[in-house]
Amino acid sequence: RAKHAGRSKACFFDAEMDEAVRARRQIEAELRHATTRSQLSVNYQPILDSRTGSITGYEALMRWNRPGHGMSEPEVFISIAEESGVIVQLGEWVLRQACTEAARWPQPLSIAVNVSPVQFMLPNLCEGVAAILEETGLAPHRLELEITEAAFERDRSNVIATLMRLHGLGVRIVMDDFGTGFSSLSNLRALPFHKIKVDRSFTGILEHDAVARSIVRAIIGLGHSLGIQVVTEGVETELQRQIVIEEGCEQLQGLLLGKPDIEPSVKLAARENFLSVHGDGFDRPCNA
Ligand code: C2E
Ligand code: MG
Ligand code: MG
Ligand code: MG
């Protein structure tokens, strides 16, 4: 009896597994056509100078308008895209799109683009980035490539070599989601990081959790002692903002300061400036 029950349970489990595998395969197949069918887009989230409150740049965040499912966020599809390798195609599309967009922004603004560990396995990642910079005319120092610690868990020496070559191009390297992966300290010591991003899982609990605050303080101290700027992501409340500023964090990103948007606020700001200088065609009393 028991044996029999065990077996039918296993069958049930298998059926569930099959369904999950089938669903992932379906997403994978659809993703292969996402770029050619114009289903991908990029949202831009502002990153601010914590002292002045001015925007220093934007992070490009991929969105997929999946037919029949609406706008999907990366959590749903990035891991599938990575497993199947389609991320290489998607990542290149986002990079080209983001650089094209940023090349039109006022000079000092930077654009941060996430690069998957799978892309770091490519032998020609650096050439690909150089070609896109050339093609779009974006100055290399305005491009920030965000890498997570997971990238170092694969082919470490190759990833390091690629990072050094990207650094040689003049592109800036950012350690994303810092504090959630492994071997962070040795990576920081050995590599030319321009910035560290404190993971938003710490930010979210800062107000109530003294340990989280200590960790954030330590990350900021570590960054500064290595001459690396620190960004806090996921800032949602005024109190969180105050705490990380008090701890010495240079830059802020989060819903409190600006949400990811298809139209970066720089465009809107530029249009307002344009209107205030050139007028919008409406007559107004001049009381200057
Ligand atoms: P990430 O690089 O750490 O990006 C920050 C994520 O935090 C974004 O999620 C953003 O929408 C979200 N976020 C921003 N402010 C807040 C806040 O105040 N509170 C909270 N809870 N979240 C906030 P998103 O857009 O869903 O992206 C999730 C992750 O997917 C990204 O994390 C990144 O790892 C990955 N991703 C996004 N776009 C790309 C891409 O083009 N290529 C690759 N390889 N990965 C990407
Ligand atoms: Mg990121
Ligand atoms: Mg992050
Ligand atoms: Mg993340």
Side-chain angles (χ1 to χ4, degrees):
R1 290 291 132 218
K3 212 170 165 190
H4 191 228
R7 195 181 300 141
S8 66
K9 201 173 168 192
C11 284
F12 180 66
F13 187 62
D14 281 354
E16 261 185 8
M17 290 273 283
D18 284 349
E19 177 52 29
V21 168
R22 202 198 54 76
R24 289 179 76 88
R25 290 229 179 93
Q26 177 62 32
I27 290 180
E28 182 192 324
E30 290 180 36
L31 274 175
R32 289 194 188 281
H33 304 287
T35 50
T36 52
R37 293 181 186 164
S38 310
Q39 294 165 1
L40 281 195
S41 55
V42 179
N43 276 0
Y44 298 91
Q45 185 177 31
I47 300 171
L48 281 77
D49 181 309
S50 62
R51 220 169 23 84
T52 64
S54 59
I55 294 174
T56 60
Y58 290 82
E59 179 173 4
L61 296 161
M62 192 190 312
R63 297 291 179 264
W64 177 31
N65 190 0
R66 184 181 178 202
H69 291 79
M71 206 52 90
S72 309
E73 304 217 337
E75 246 82 74
V76 184
F77 64 87
I78 290 272
S79 72
I80 298 173
E82 288 179 331
E83 260 170 44
S84 59
V86 193
I87 190 69
V88 170
Q89 219 179 296
L90 306 185
E92 186 184 332
W93 187 89
V94 169
L95 182 65
R96 177 172 288 108
Q97 189 66 29
C99 290
T100 304
E101 179 72 42
R104 296 195 284 253
W105 299 344
Q107 278 297 331
L109 292 176
S110 58
I111 179 71
V113 180
N114 294 285
V115 181
S116 160
V118 175
Q119 291 172 273
F120 270 97
M121 303 294 289
L122 298 170
N124 59 352
L125 177 67
C126 191
E127 285 78 3
V129 170
I132 287 177
L133 287 172
E134 176 83 34
E135 181 187 318
T136 59
L138 185 74
H141 70 270
R142 294 179 62 198
L143 176 62
E144 296 176 346
L145 296 180
E146 296 195 357
I147 176 173
T148 58
E149 290 163 301
F152 298 100
E153 288 161 25
R154 310 219 178 184
D155 189 348
R156 196 182 149 77
S157 57
N158 254 324
V159 171
I160 291 176
T162 301
L163 277 179
M164 297 311 275
R165 291 173 63 216
L166 286 166
H167 177 66
L169 274 185
V171 166
R172 295 184 165 167
I173 313 294
V174 176
M175 174 68 91
D176 201 356
D177 302 345
F178 189 74
T180 56
F182 295 110
S183 65
S184 1
L185 300 186
S186 56
N187 289 332
L188 279 189
R189 189 186 58 80
L191 292 164
F193 285 104
H194 183 73
K195 264 191 214 175
I196 300 172
K197 293 182 108 170
V198 175
D199 191 70
R200 65 176 195 262
S201 61
F202 298 117
T203 320
I205 55 173
L206 264 184
E207 293 154 334
H208 316 289
D209 191 321
V211 176
R213 182 164 179 164
S214 298
I215 292 172
V216 170
R217 177 180 303 150
I219 294 173
I220 294 171
L222 177 68
H224 290 175
S225 67
L226 295 168
I228 304 173
Q229 289 178 29
V230 182
V231 190
T232 303
E233 58 178 21
V235 179
E236 292 179 352
T237 70
E238 182 51 34
L239 185 55
Q240 289 165 0
R241 188 182 75 92
Q242 280 170 14
I243 292 173
V244 298
I245 289 178
E246 215 168 278
E247 297 298 347
C249 177
E250 279 93 1
Q251 292 184 347
L252 309 171
Q253 181 179 357
L255 297 178
L256 178 72
L257 308 146
K259 61 177 180 32
D261 205 311
I262 194 81
E263 178 133 40
S265 40
V266 61
K267 266 203 195 161
L268 303 172
R271 192 174 303 147
E272 268 162 31
N273 283 341
F274 182 82
L275 292 179
S276 71
V277 174
H278 300 279
D280 54 9
F282 293 100
D283 288 324
R284 276 192 204 88
C286 180
N287 48 11

